[in-house]
Amino acid sequence: MLIWFLPTFLVFLLIGLPVFFALLAAPGILLWLNGQTNDITLLYRNVYNGMDSFPLMAIPFFMLAGELMNRGGITIRLVEFSQALMGHFRGGLAHVNVLSSILFAGLSGSAVADTSALGSMLIPAMEKQGYTRKFAAAITAASSVIGPIIPPSGIMIIYAYVMGESVAALFLAGIVPGVMVGVGLMLMIKVMADKYDFPVASRKYTWPERRQASLKAFFPLLTPVIILGGILGGIFTPTEAAAVAVGYAFIIGFFVLRTLTLKEVPEILSNAGLTSAVVLLLVGAAMAFKTVVSLSHAPEQLASLILSLSENPLILLFLINLLLFIVGMFLDAGPAIIILGPILAPIFTSLGVDPIHFAIIMSVNLTVGLATPPMGLVLFVAAAVSREKVETIAKAILPFLAVEIIVIFLITYIPALSMTIPRITGFAN
């Protein structure tokens, strides 16, 4: 069934069926053709069971916190802070775009939210300063993948839920890879800035002006400190941390900055609810599919096939990275993790790869897939925000994708890059 699932699933996607329905229809039809009617009942019953989880409640809370932060004008403060630090460099506004993504990642954990919030502000500003629209959209899409890598991360919450790993360990392991992606993109921008004579975004800020920008961004930047500090200190669980983030965002927006009004609350709740519903429905459908696949013993057969290719874990990691990169081109990161995680993770842990290390390899690879053509989700969001064609952005993003692929292989073959912080803090062996 696993062999026929992917072609059937892709056919449904190509005819325009939403991913949620394709994830259920493809295995449902195959089970019906096999005469496994009892398993069809199990498939659809597990849609609800897959969503009925306390750890997964962190996702809608983080979505709501990000929405409150964005609507409260906090995104503007982060951009101003980034510009005070880096705006005077050649290609400064492109650097500001990346640094803003790094900072915004600590608030939302969502690539789509990053692309939408920062893109609507920075793409027109970059175009006004002389950048091409396709370049502005490409760097926005490329940098937005940092969102689900640096904690908090919705994708890592999903992985931890599916595989029974520590959310705190995954969060900590994502810090260095996320920063590496950001630094790598900035290095590429510097190379391109020197070659194509990119404009300087602004004059060099004085230290008093930088201090003023830092003070304005202080409360937003405190958010990831509260979230991670509370989780690592054992004060609250990741789900409780997400709820605390909502409360903190509400207090900052309404009482400290006074940039939110009660009239905006219904729309904020509606937007966060719709976004969360999409994610949770995908999780439920993917978990249902995972349950049926496990009954078919397909994971064991696939494991045997993979191990027959080579017993060298370094070669297998290279091949799996290629597989994940291809999967990421067509499938959203959440469903891909739920479908492939239970199949691939046991194979590599049996070969001596640390489960947290493999989780980061998989999460980062599939997250980068959000920005890869032909079906990278953030490419479509960037296209909508910039009103540029997807295929044009897809060409412009290639140099940045090359940087992100290099980072993937660095964290794959140098485990210390992602594992040092979890080990120092005692969350990994």
Side-chain angles (χ1 to χ4, degrees), residues 62 78 98-111 114 118 143-154 178 224 227:
F62 277 129
L78 293 179
V98 176
L99 182 57
S100 298
S101 290
I102 294 173
L103 299 176
F104 194 77
L107 307 182
S108 70
S110 167
D114 187 319
L118 296 176
S143 64
S144 69
V145 303
I146 299 171
I149 301 173
I150 292 179
S153 167
I227 293 170

PDB file of all heavy atoms in Angstrom, residues 62 78 98-111 114 118 143-154 178 224 227:
ATOM      1  N   PHE A  62       0.724  29.046  20.264  1.00  0.00           N
ATOM      2  CA  PHE A  62       1.827  29.775  19.644  1.00  0.00           C
ATOM      3  C   PHE A  62       1.343  30.569  18.429  1.00  0.00           C
ATOM      4  O   PHE A  62       1.832  31.677  18.162  1.00  0.00           O
ATOM      5  CB  PHE A  62       2.952  28.811  19.230  1.00  0.00           C
ATOM      6  CG  PHE A  62       3.889  28.452  20.351  1.00  0.00           C
ATOM      7  CD1 PHE A  62       4.187  27.127  20.640  1.00  0.00           C
ATOM      8  CD2 PHE A  62       4.487  29.446  21.125  1.00  0.00           C
ATOM      9  CE1 PHE A  62       5.052  26.792  21.679  1.00  0.00           C
ATOM     10  CE2 PHE A  62       5.353  29.126  22.161  1.00  0.00           C
ATOM     11  CZ  PHE A  62       5.640  27.796  22.441  1.00  0.00           C
ATOM     12  N   LEU A  78      10.846  45.064  15.779  1.00  0.00           N
ATOM     13  CA  LEU A  78      11.952  44.146  15.488  1.00  0.00           C
ATOM     14  C   LEU A  78      12.706  44.591  14.241  1.00  0.00           C
ATOM     15  O   LEU A  78      13.944  44.511  14.195  1.00  0.00           O
ATOM     16  CB  LEU A  78      11.422  42.723  15.304  1.00  0.00           C
ATOM     17  CG  LEU A  78      10.823  42.037  16.533  1.00  0.00           C
ATOM     18  CD1 LEU A  78      10.326  40.643  16.167  1.00  0.00           C
ATOM     19  CD2 LEU A  78      11.839  41.946  17.659  1.00  0.00           C
ATOM     20  N   VAL A  98      16.911  39.231   7.021  1.00  0.00           N
ATOM     21  CA  VAL A  98      17.331  37.966   7.636  1.00  0.00           C
ATOM     22  C   VAL A  98      17.347  38.082   9.158  1.00  0.00           C
ATOM     23  O   VAL A  98      16.847  37.199   9.863  1.00  0.00           O
ATOM     24  CB  VAL A  98      18.724  37.550   7.116  1.00  0.00           C
ATOM     25  CG1 VAL A  98      19.203  36.283   7.825  1.00  0.00           C
ATOM     26  CG2 VAL A  98      18.685  37.322   5.607  1.00  0.00           C
ATOM     27  N   LEU A  99      17.943  39.163   9.675  1.00  0.00           N
ATOM     28  CA  LEU A  99      18.007  39.324  11.133  1.00  0.00           C
ATOM     29  C   LEU A  99      16.610  39.424  11.735  1.00  0.00           C
ATOM     30  O   LEU A  99      16.342  38.864  12.810  1.00  0.00           O
ATOM     31  CB  LEU A  99      18.827  40.571  11.484  1.00  0.00           C
ATOM     32  CG  LEU A  99      19.025  40.839  12.988  1.00  0.00           C
ATOM     33  CD1 LEU A  99      19.686  39.647  13.672  1.00  0.00           C
ATOM     34  CD2 LEU A  99      19.848  42.115  13.215  1.00  0.00           C
ATOM     35  N   SER A 100      15.704  40.093  11.053  1.00  0.00           N
ATOM     36  CA  SER A 100      14.314  40.188  11.532  1.00  0.00           C
ATOM     37  C   SER A 100      13.672  38.805  11.589  1.00  0.00           C
ATOM     38  O   SER A 100      12.907  38.501  12.510  1.00  0.00           O
ATOM     39  CB  SER A 100      13.492  41.111  10.624  1.00  0.00           C
ATOM     40  OG  SER A 100      14.008  42.424  10.629  1.00  0.00           O
ATOM     41  N   SER A 101      13.981  37.958  10.599  1.00  0.00           N
ATOM     42  CA  SER A 101      13.454  36.586  10.600  1.00  0.00           C
ATOM     43  C   SER A 101      13.987  35.794  11.794  1.00  0.00           C
ATOM     44  O   SER A 101      13.252  35.016  12.405  1.00  0.00           O
ATOM     45  CB  SER A 101      13.827  35.870   9.298  1.00  0.00           C
ATOM     46  OG  SER A 101      13.120  36.397   8.203  1.00  0.00           O
ATOM     47  N   ILE A 102      15.267  35.980  12.114  1.00  0.00           N
ATOM     48  CA  ILE A 102      15.847  35.294  13.270  1.00  0.00           C
ATOM     49  C   ILE A 102      15.139  35.724  14.549  1.00  0.00           C
ATOM     50  O   ILE A 102      14.784  34.898  15.395  1.00  0.00           O
ATOM     51  CB  ILE A 102      17.365  35.584  13.367  1.00  0.00           C
ATOM     52  CG1 ILE A 102      18.104  34.959  12.176  1.00  0.00           C
ATOM     53  CG2 ILE A 102      17.938  35.052  14.682  1.00  0.00           C
ATOM     54  CD1 ILE A 102      19.577  35.332  12.095  1.00  0.00           C
ATOM     55  N   LEU A 103      14.912  37.027  14.685  1.00  0.00           N
ATOM     56  CA  LEU A 103      14.255  37.545  15.889  1.00  0.00           C
ATOM     57  C   LEU A 103      12.785  37.146  15.935  1.00  0.00           C
ATOM     58  O   LEU A 103      12.261  36.771  16.989  1.00  0.00           O
ATOM     59  CB  LEU A 103      14.392  39.074  15.943  1.00  0.00           C
ATOM     60  CG  LEU A 103      15.827  39.620  15.999  1.00  0.00           C
ATOM     61  CD1 LEU A 103      15.811  41.148  15.955  1.00  0.00           C
ATOM     62  CD2 LEU A 103      16.538  39.132  17.246  1.00  0.00           C
ATOM     63  N   PHE A 104      12.111  37.221  14.780  1.00  0.00           N
ATOM     64  CA  PHE A 104      10.690  36.874  14.718  1.00  0.00           C
ATOM     65  C   PHE A 104      10.474  35.385  14.961  1.00  0.00           C
ATOM     66  O   PHE A 104       9.413  34.979  15.447  1.00  0.00           O
ATOM     67  CB  PHE A 104      10.129  37.269  13.344  1.00  0.00           C
ATOM     68  CG  PHE A 104       8.635  37.276  13.277  1.00  0.00           C
ATOM     69  CD1 PHE A 104       7.909  38.311  13.833  1.00  0.00           C
ATOM     70  CD2 PHE A 104       7.929  36.256  12.647  1.00  0.00           C
ATOM     71  CE1 PHE A 104       6.522  38.338  13.777  1.00  0.00           C
ATOM     72  CE2 PHE A 104       6.546  36.268  12.578  1.00  0.00           C
ATOM     73  CZ  PHE A 104       5.847  37.312  13.146  1.00  0.00           C
ATOM     74  N   ALA A 105      11.497  34.569  14.639  1.00  0.00           N
ATOM     75  CA  ALA A 105      11.395  33.122  14.859  1.00  0.00           C
ATOM     76  C   ALA A 105      11.173  32.796  16.327  1.00  0.00           C
ATOM     77  O   ALA A 105      10.501  31.819  16.657  1.00  0.00           O
ATOM     78  CB  ALA A 105      12.662  32.430  14.357  1.00  0.00           C
ATOM     79  N   GLY A 106      11.746  33.618  17.196  1.00  0.00           N
ATOM     80  CA  GLY A 106      11.573  33.384  18.631  1.00  0.00           C
ATOM     81  C   GLY A 106      10.194  33.745  19.144  1.00  0.00           C
ATOM     82  O   GLY A 106       9.871  33.476  20.303  1.00  0.00           O
ATOM     83  N   LEU A 107       9.372  34.338  18.281  1.00  0.00           N
ATOM     84  CA  LEU A 107       8.017  34.728  18.687  1.00  0.00           C
ATOM     85  C   LEU A 107       6.954  33.793  18.129  1.00  0.00           C
ATOM     86  O   LEU A 107       6.035  33.399  18.832  1.00  0.00           O
ATOM     87  CB  LEU A 107       7.720  36.164  18.227  1.00  0.00           C
ATOM     88  CG  LEU A 107       8.725  37.257  18.614  1.00  0.00           C
ATOM     89  CD1 LEU A 107       8.233  38.602  18.114  1.00  0.00           C
ATOM     90  CD2 LEU A 107       8.941  37.289  20.114  1.00  0.00           C
ATOM     91  N   SER A 108       7.055  33.433  16.834  1.00  0.00           N
ATOM     92  CA  SER A 108       5.952  32.718  16.184  1.00  0.00           C
ATOM     93  C   SER A 108       6.252  31.249  15.915  1.00  0.00           C
ATOM     94  O   SER A 108       5.367  30.408  16.030  1.00  0.00           O
ATOM     95  CB  SER A 108       5.603  33.400  14.860  1.00  0.00           C
ATOM     96  OG  SER A 108       6.629  33.191  13.912  1.00  0.00           O
ATOM     97  N   GLY A 109       7.488  30.931  15.504  1.00  0.00           N
ATOM     98  CA  GLY A 109       7.817  29.547  15.137  1.00  0.00           C
ATOM     99  C   GLY A 109       7.164  29.091  13.855  1.00  0.00           C
ATOM    100  O   GLY A 109       7.056  27.903  13.591  1.00  0.00           O
ATOM    101  N   SER A 110       6.742  30.037  13.023  1.00  0.00           N
ATOM    102  CA  SER A 110       6.019  29.696  11.793  1.00  0.00           C
ATOM    103  C   SER A 110       6.644  30.394  10.600  1.00  0.00           C
ATOM    104  O   SER A 110       6.808  31.627  10.605  1.00  0.00           O
ATOM    105  CB  SER A 110       4.548  30.100  11.911  1.00  0.00           C
ATOM    106  OG  SER A 110       3.903  30.058  10.657  1.00  0.00           O
ATOM    107  N   ALA A 111       6.992  29.638   9.566  1.00  0.00           N
ATOM    108  CA  ALA A 111       7.561  30.217   8.352  1.00  0.00           C
ATOM    109  C   ALA A 111       6.534  31.051   7.597  1.00  0.00           C
ATOM    110  O   ALA A 111       6.860  32.101   7.036  1.00  0.00           O
ATOM    111  CB  ALA A 111       8.102  29.102   7.453  1.00  0.00           C
ATOM    112  N   ASP A 114       6.062  34.367   9.321  1.00  0.00           N
ATOM    113  CA  ASP A 114       7.250  35.179   9.062  1.00  0.00           C
ATOM    114  C   ASP A 114       7.167  35.814   7.676  1.00  0.00           C
ATOM    115  O   ASP A 114       7.354  37.030   7.518  1.00  0.00           O
ATOM    116  CB  ASP A 114       8.495  34.284   9.174  1.00  0.00           C
ATOM    117  CG  ASP A 114       9.799  35.070   9.092  1.00  0.00           C
ATOM    118  OD1 ASP A 114       9.875  35.990   8.270  1.00  0.00           O
ATOM    119  OD2 ASP A 114      10.732  34.742   9.833  1.00  0.00           O
ATOM    120  N   LEU A 118       6.684  39.868   7.779  1.00  0.00           N
ATOM    121  CA  LEU A 118       7.865  40.625   7.374  1.00  0.00           C
ATOM    122  C   LEU A 118       7.822  40.993   5.893  1.00  0.00           C
ATOM    123  O   LEU A 118       8.275  42.074   5.503  1.00  0.00           O
ATOM    124  CB  LEU A 118       9.133  39.833   7.686  1.00  0.00           C
ATOM    125  CG  LEU A 118       9.396  39.563   9.175  1.00  0.00           C
ATOM    126  CD1 LEU A 118      10.628  38.686   9.351  1.00  0.00           C
ATOM    127  CD2 LEU A 118       9.572  40.869   9.941  1.00  0.00           C
ATOM    128  N   SER A 143      14.662  33.313   4.129  1.00  0.00           N
ATOM    129  CA  SER A 143      14.935  33.557   5.548  1.00  0.00           C
ATOM    130  C   SER A 143      13.785  33.105   6.447  1.00  0.00           C
ATOM    131  O   SER A 143      13.983  32.839   7.630  1.00  0.00           O
ATOM    132  CB  SER A 143      15.225  35.044   5.786  1.00  0.00           C
ATOM    133  OG  SER A 143      14.098  35.843   5.489  1.00  0.00           O
ATOM    134  N   SER A 144      12.587  32.997   5.877  1.00  0.00           N
ATOM    135  CA  SER A 144      11.431  32.618   6.697  1.00  0.00           C
ATOM    136  C   SER A 144      11.528  31.185   7.221  1.00  0.00           C
ATOM    137  O   SER A 144      10.878  30.845   8.214  1.00  0.00           O
ATOM    138  CB  SER A 144      10.137  32.784   5.903  1.00  0.00           C
ATOM    139  OG  SER A 144      10.059  31.814   4.870  1.00  0.00           O
ATOM    140  N   VAL A 145      12.330  30.341   6.571  1.00  0.00           N
ATOM    141  CA  VAL A 145      12.435  28.956   7.045  1.00  0.00           C
ATOM    142  C   VAL A 145      13.163  28.885   8.379  1.00  0.00           C
ATOM    143  O   VAL A 145      13.134  27.846   9.047  1.00  0.00           O
ATOM    144  CB  VAL A 145      13.142  28.049   6.009  1.00  0.00           C
ATOM    145  CG1 VAL A 145      12.433  28.083   4.675  1.00  0.00           C
ATOM    146  CG2 VAL A 145      14.607  28.413   5.846  1.00  0.00           C
ATOM    147  N   ILE A 146      13.796  29.979   8.791  1.00  0.00           N
ATOM    148  CA  ILE A 146      14.434  30.017  10.110  1.00  0.00           C
ATOM    149  C   ILE A 146      13.371  29.923  11.205  1.00  0.00           C
ATOM    150  O   ILE A 146      13.632  29.405  12.288  1.00  0.00           O
ATOM    151  CB  ILE A 146      15.256  31.309  10.273  1.00  0.00           C
ATOM    152  CG1 ILE A 146      16.360  31.370   9.207  1.00  0.00           C
ATOM    153  CG2 ILE A 146      15.884  31.400  11.661  1.00  0.00           C
ATOM    154  CD1 ILE A 146      17.092  32.713   9.153  1.00  0.00           C
ATOM    155  N   GLY A 147      12.151  30.392  10.898  1.00  0.00           N
ATOM    156  CA  GLY A 147      11.076  30.429  11.889  1.00  0.00           C
ATOM    157  C   GLY A 147      10.814  29.106  12.584  1.00  0.00           C
ATOM    158  O   GLY A 147      10.749  29.047  13.819  1.00  0.00           O
ATOM    159  N   PRO A 148      10.648  27.999  11.851  1.00  0.00           N
ATOM    160  CA  PRO A 148      10.388  26.712  12.504  1.00  0.00           C
ATOM    161  C   PRO A 148      11.643  26.001  13.022  1.00  0.00           C
ATOM    162  O   PRO A 148      11.531  24.908  13.565  1.00  0.00           O
ATOM    163  CB  PRO A 148       9.751  25.874  11.373  1.00  0.00           C
ATOM    164  CG  PRO A 148       9.381  26.840  10.311  1.00  0.00           C
ATOM    165  CD  PRO A 148      10.386  27.933  10.403  1.00  0.00           C
ATOM    166  N   ILE A 149      12.835  26.593  12.825  1.00  0.00           N
ATOM    167  CA  ILE A 149      14.055  25.949  13.304  1.00  0.00           C
ATOM    168  C   ILE A 149      14.448  26.490  14.676  1.00  0.00           C
ATOM    169  O   ILE A 149      14.700  25.730  15.616  1.00  0.00           O
ATOM    170  CB  ILE A 149      15.216  26.154  12.296  1.00  0.00           C
ATOM    171  CG1 ILE A 149      14.847  25.575  10.929  1.00  0.00           C
ATOM    172  CG2 ILE A 149      16.496  25.486  12.810  1.00  0.00           C
ATOM    173  CD1 ILE A 149      15.858  25.866   9.836  1.00  0.00           C
ATOM    174  N   ILE A 150      14.498  27.821  14.795  1.00  0.00           N
ATOM    175  CA  ILE A 150      14.785  28.439  16.096  1.00  0.00           C
ATOM    176  C   ILE A 150      13.537  28.337  16.973  1.00  0.00           C
ATOM    177  O   ILE A 150      12.431  28.582  16.516  1.00  0.00           O
ATOM    178  CB  ILE A 150      15.201  29.911  15.899  1.00  0.00           C
ATOM    179  CG1 ILE A 150      16.565  29.974  15.205  1.00  0.00           C
ATOM    180  CG2 ILE A 150      15.252  30.643  17.239  1.00  0.00           C
ATOM    181  CD1 ILE A 150      17.060  31.371  14.935  1.00  0.00           C
ATOM    182  N   PRO A 151      13.693  27.945  18.243  1.00  0.00           N
ATOM    183  CA  PRO A 151      12.509  27.770  19.105  1.00  0.00           C
ATOM    184  C   PRO A 151      11.812  29.092  19.393  1.00  0.00           C
ATOM    185  O   PRO A 151      12.464  30.138  19.408  1.00  0.00           O
ATOM    186  CB  PRO A 151      13.114  27.185  20.385  1.00  0.00           C
ATOM    187  CG  PRO A 151      14.552  27.606  20.375  1.00  0.00           C
ATOM    188  CD  PRO A 151      14.946  27.633  18.922  1.00  0.00           C
ATOM    189  N   PRO A 152      10.457  29.021  19.608  1.00  0.00           N
ATOM    190  CA  PRO A 152       9.611  27.823  19.586  1.00  0.00           C
ATOM    191  C   PRO A 152       9.333  27.383  18.153  1.00  0.00           C
ATOM    192  O   PRO A 152       9.363  28.201  17.238  1.00  0.00           O
ATOM    193  CB  PRO A 152       8.331  28.297  20.268  1.00  0.00           C
ATOM    194  CG  PRO A 152       8.266  29.761  19.945  1.00  0.00           C
ATOM    195  CD  PRO A 152       9.686  30.250  19.938  1.00  0.00           C
ATOM    196  N   SER A 153       9.054  26.098  17.967  1.00  0.00           N
ATOM    197  CA  SER A 153       8.860  25.545  16.637  1.00  0.00           C
ATOM    198  C   SER A 153       7.675  24.592  16.625  1.00  0.00           C
ATOM    199  O   SER A 153       7.675  23.588  17.331  1.00  0.00           O
ATOM    200  CB  SER A 153      10.123  24.795  16.194  1.00  0.00           C
ATOM    201  OG  SER A 153       9.871  24.009  15.056  1.00  0.00           O
ATOM    202  N   GLY A 154       6.677  24.911  15.796  1.00  0.00           N
ATOM    203  CA  GLY A 154       5.521  24.031  15.673  1.00  0.00           C
ATOM    204  C   GLY A 154       5.885  22.681  15.091  1.00  0.00           C
ATOM    205  O   GLY A 154       5.353  21.641  15.507  1.00  0.00           O
ATOM    206  N   GLY A 178      19.540  27.053  13.325  1.00  0.00           N
ATOM    207  CA  GLY A 178      18.790  28.226  12.888  1.00  0.00           C
ATOM    208  C   GLY A 178      19.678  29.441  12.693  1.00  0.00           C
ATOM    209  O   GLY A 178      19.556  30.168  11.695  1.00  0.00           O
ATOM    210  N   PRO A 224      11.006  34.881  23.776  1.00  0.00           N
ATOM    211  CA  PRO A 224      11.669  33.566  23.745  1.00  0.00           C
ATOM    212  C   PRO A 224      12.413  33.243  25.034  1.00  0.00           C
ATOM    213  O   PRO A 224      12.554  32.067  25.386  1.00  0.00           O
ATOM    214  CB  PRO A 224      12.640  33.678  22.554  1.00  0.00           C
ATOM    215  CG  PRO A 224      12.799  35.128  22.306  1.00  0.00           C
ATOM    216  CD  PRO A 224      11.512  35.769  22.719  1.00  0.00           C
ATOM    217  N   ILE A 227       9.747  31.868  27.325  1.00  0.00           N
ATOM    218  CA  ILE A 227       9.308  30.544  26.867  1.00  0.00           C
ATOM    219  C   ILE A 227      10.359  29.484  27.174  1.00  0.00           C
ATOM    220  O   ILE A 227      10.078  28.478  27.839  1.00  0.00           O
ATOM    221  CB  ILE A 227       9.007  30.571  25.353  1.00  0.00           C
ATOM    222  CG1 ILE A 227       7.790  31.459  25.067  1.00  0.00           C
ATOM    223  CG2 ILE A 227       8.756  29.157  24.834  1.00  0.00           C
ATOM    224  CD1 ILE A 227       7.569  31.724  23.586  1.00  0.00           C
TER     225      ILE A 227
END
